Amino acid sequence: MVSLDRRSFLATTGGVLASGAALNTLGAHAAWAAAGRSPSDPGEVGYGELRRTAARNTGEELLALPAGFSYVVLGRTGTPMDDGTLTPIAHDGMAAFRGTRRHTARLIRNHEVRTPPGSPVGRVHVPGSARYDELGVAGTTTLEVDLRSGEVTRHFVSLNGTIVNCAGGRMLGDRGWLTCEETTAGPAQGWQRKHGYIFEVPLDGPGPGSPAASMPLTAMGRFSHEAVAVDPRTGYVYETEDDSGKPDGFYRYRPRNPWKLSDGGVLEMLKIRGQDGYDCREGQRMGARLPVEWVRIDDPDPDLENGAPTCTQQGLAKGGAKFNRLEGCWWGDGSVFFNSTSGGDAKNGDPPNADGFVEGYGQVWQYIPGRRDGGTLVLVYESPGRKALDSPDNLTFTPRGGIVLCEDDSSDADADPHPLAPGLTNVNRLIGLDPRRGEPFEFAVNISDDSEFAGACFSPDGSVLFVNNLGSTAATDPPGRTYAIRGPWRRGPL
């Protein structure tokens, strides 16, 4: 195992980076999968066998974890916050920043609320605040957490007036969070305003009762956004798209001013050089290096209500590459790593998409920016089946060179039970990747319900793994929860 010393670790953006060790982990994992190996006995990899574990602060058995690890529940749906509102539903993408005081972390957390316009059920809402859409039901909340006690010291709405806030990414210079709407709904669906945008949530400024003004960054595109990653050298923002059942694109935004994204810029879609409409969803070889060029999206804020072509249609018409359900996105080691939740040749059994593509168990891609050309695209891992990895969503690289993938078991056809979660049909896990052996292993199992894991991120000091249990996106049951997991990280590969 390769580890970073504390000084190197804390010097990186947000305290966590994708080091060469993490890149080596993906390479080892690809070699493991390409060799057609079966997973070893769970006691031989990772941190050993898992066991049902009760939360330290509630006594509920919600997760299965390896021996020596413990957790507390933070920000459960329905619990009161400091601004007088109740914690919303649908806990999704998230990032951890340094807190306002020593030994604290500040979490900015998305809420992918999918209730109707203006619905009060689990809504992210502060009356009288500056909201983009008065009927918006989603947004973000912020938590200040004491890393020693695990207690929440402050908890409040930090952005409202948006809808379906799925994932996002850290702003340049760790100045805050870019939150993404995973939809292109608008007035035709009952909302006051058009949606499908990225919004800024500054780290400093918002406090209890004073959410940030929600202003859409329209030049960054109107499409079904999932996550973003920022190149700290150029300020370019890379964006993933997740429009289920249709081909998706991988985008980059070249801002005029990297420190002020609202000043405008150029939106582009990735294309494989010299090959129109290249299909990355299947038939790919791990490790192959595909040369990249970029095609411009001429109308990044299309008037979809009056029949304008979508950003995806514009990019594909110019030869853009096709992906399937692009989700988690992470910058590190001079590259962007992103997940295709349902790409790959091993199929999950669901009916074909509208264009005939049959979904797989997931892919992990690496985009390497070029200094003199459009860069290079590499498939670094493709799941051979659900036991190894089933539908990767969010991902994070750990301070010690490991990788954590959040599962979102999206298949309706392939039941995925687990012996530690009796009664559940589709069980979701946190999958770790071992940098020494390249083998995937279970680090955590959601034994409370069948909702996905999301938003995995480490505290700035590397001591705590925060992760969300989504819960329902349209009801208060099952509730969304945030977990803070502690344990002997250096005993294993994470």
Side-chain angles (χ1 to χ4, degrees):
M1 178 177 63
V2 179
S3 61
L4 303 174
D5 62 40
R6 180 175 175 83
R7 180 176 297 178
S8 298
F9 168 51
L10 293 177
T12 62
T13 299
V16 181
L17 82 167
S19 67
L23 184 56
N24 291 339
T25 301
L26 283 168
H29 195 32
W32 177 89
R37 299 172 186 157
S38 298
S40 301
D41 184 282
E44 299 177 358
V45 295
Y47 293 85
E49 291 191 39
L50 276 57
R51 60 182 183 181
R52 295 173 66 94
T53 305
R56 292 204 327 261
N57 59 338
T58 69
E60 302 169 281
E61 287 190 347
L62 304 169
L63 298 179
L65 292 170
F69 285 86
S70 64
Y71 67 100
V72 295
V73 180
L74 312 174
R76 183 184 187 276
T77 290
T79 55
M81 297 190 292
D82 293 332
D83 55 11
T85 64
L86 299 181
T87 302
I89 62 175
H91 299 27
D92 210 304
M94 183 169 65
F97 303 85
R98 288 184 176 84
T100 55
R101 292 179 296 172
R102 191 178 180 189
H103 302 302
T104 65
R106 172 172 282 206
L107 303 177
I108 302 180
R109 180 182 62 198
N110 277 5
H111 293 271
E112 190 188 327
V113 185
R114 291 181 177 268
T115 54
S119 170
V121 178
R123 186 182 184 185
V124 186
H125 182 69
V126 176
S129 58
R131 287 186 295 278
Y132 170 64
D133 190 331
E134 180 61 30
L135 299 179
V137 292
T140 68
T141 55
T142 293
L143 302 84
E144 289 270 357
V145 181
D146 188 313
L147 296 174
R148 296 166 298 180
S149 67
E151 295 181 353
V152 176
T153 59
R154 288 203 306 168
H155 191 185
F156 52 89
V157 173
S158 45
L159 185 92
N160 63 168
T162 56
I163 65 174
V164 197
N165 292 67
C166 192
R170 309 172 83 94
M171 293 171 61
L172 181 65
D174 267 7
R175 294 172 296 119
W177 173 249
L178 294 170
T179 182
C180 300
E181 293 184 313
E182 190 190 13
T183 181
T184 54
Q189 290 75 35
W191 305 101
Q192 286 188 344
R193 310 288 293 273
K194 300 189 302 181
H195 291 274
Y197 302 113
I198 296 175
F199 297 78
E200 293 181 331
V201 187
L203 188 61
D204 298 322
S210 302
S214 47
M215 299 295 293
L217 299 169
T218 56
M220 297 183 74
R222 184 189 182 193
F223 56 87
S224 189
H225 285 93
E226 177 70 27
V228 302
V230 179
D231 182 341
R233 302 168 302 186
T234 63
Y236 292 177
V237 184
Y238 294 90
E239 311 174 26
T240 58
E241 179 181 32
D242 180 12
D243 191 357
S244 297
K246 301 176 183 177
D248 295 317
F250 181 66
Y251 300 82
R252 76 175 179 187
Y253 177 64
R254 296 190 288 114
R256 294 192 184 97
N257 180 355
W259 298 97
K260 193 174 181 182
L261 299 178
S262 59
D263 280 355
V266 175
L267 182 68
E268 299 166 312
M269 180 187 282
L270 181 144
K271 175 185 176 181
I272 302 305
R273 188 188 307 156
Q275 300 191 54
D276 288 346
Y278 187 89
D279 197 335
C280 296
R281 298 174 295 181
E282 58 188 351
Q284 302 305 297
R285 179 170 60 86
M286 286 186 287
R289 299 174 67 85
L290 302 171
V292 166
E293 57 184 302
W294 295 87
V295 296
R296 181 165 182 159
I297 305 301
D298 297 315
D299 182 9
D301 186 17
D303 183 5
L304 304 179
E305 287 70 24
N306 289 301
T310 67
C311 289
T312 319
Q313 290 169 337
Q314 295 176 59
L316 294 179
K318 293 184 176 183
K322 300 176 183 178
F323 296 89
N324 184 258
R325 293 196 61 202
L326 294 186
E327 303 216 26
C329 192
W330 188 271
W331 172 269
D333 201 41
S335 302
V336 182
F337 297 87
F338 58 98
N339 287 335
S340 168
T341 296
S342 303
D345 292 340
K347 304 303 182 181
N348 64 22
D350 279 353
N353 290 349
D355 68 346
F357 171 70
V358 179
E359 295 185 339
Y361 285 103
Q363 301 166 317
V364 183
W365 291 90
Q366 177 193 15
Y367 167 69
I368 309 166
R371 295 185 181 275
R372 296 187 177 89
D373 57 20
T376 305
L377 182 69
V378 182
L379 176 64
V380 292
Y381 177 67
E382 184 172 290
S383 176
R386 66 176 176 84
K387 288 186 178 180
L389 177 66
D390 189 351
S391 308
D393 193 313
N394 294 165
L395 80 161
T396 190
F397 290 171
T398 80
R400 291 157 287 273
I403 296 171
V404 178
L405 296 159
C406 299
E407 284 191 334
D408 174 12
D409 183 359
S410 56
S411 171
D412 296 323
D414 187 5
D416 192 12
H418 196 284
L420 291 172
L424 296 180
T425 302
N426 290 306
V427 174
N428 288 294
R429 307 168 295 174
L430 289 180
I431 298 295
L433 301 187
D434 190 327
R436 298 162 297 183
R437 303 169 56 155
E439 187 168 350
F441 63 92
E442 294 180 349
F443 173 73
V445 177
N446 176 11
I447 60 175
S448 63
D449 57 58
D450 61 1
S451 66
E452 67 190 77
F453 278 113
C457 55
F458 274 85
S459 61
D461 68 358
S463 66
V464 178
L465 172 63
F466 296 105
V467 67
N468 292 324
N469 177 190
L470 180 73
S472 173
T473 59
T476 56
D477 188 35
R481 301 180 181 91
T482 295
Y483 301 117
I485 303 173
R486 305 180 67 98
W489 297 110
R490 293 191 180 276
R491 195 184 75 195
L494 299 182

